[in-house]
Amino acid sequence: MGITIGALVVRKLSRAAEKLTPQGVAGALVEGLRDLADAIGEFGADVRAAAAEREQELRAGTELDAPLPTRGHVELPARRGAHAADR
């Protein structure tokens, strides 16, 4: 049993020492940068989806997607605060 525990300890120490070598540090850095790039990509996708959804809400609220009126049937909205004589 002592030999088994000793072998496990040596394995753990070898893995820890391997991570501290220049190659191990570089590998950890590459993995970290890859994770960061993935997170940035996911964030960008979320931002684009939210922007598209908000654009649809704004278009629906302002009726920008409504068909254009035909000539001669254009009715302009009344100005705010306009007097009856100004209309």
Side-chain angles (χ1 to χ4, degrees):
M1 192 151 125
I3 294 174
T4 305
I5 293 173
L8 291 174
V9 168
V10 168
R11 270 190 174 169
K12 291 280 187 182
L13 290 175
S14 295
R15 286 184 189 158
E18 196 174 291
K19 289 181 182 178
L20 296 176
T21 64
Q23 292 169 341
V25 171
L29 180 62
V30 167
E31 185 178 330
L33 290 174
R34 188 175 296 126
D35 291 345
L36 178 61
D38 290 344
I40 290 171
E42 290 173 10
F43 175 74
D46 290 345
V47 168
R48 285 188 298 276
E53 183 179 330
R54 182 64 178 143
E55 182 179 0
Q56 289 301 322
E57 291 172 0
L58 292 172
R59 285 184 176 276
T62 58
E63 298 180 3
L64 287 176
D65 289 338
L68 294 174
T70 59
R71 187 170 221 167
H73 294 92
V74 176
E75 188 175 319
L76 298 175
R79 292 188 346 219
R80 292 185 198 191
H83 298 282
D86 292 342
R87 292 185 192 165

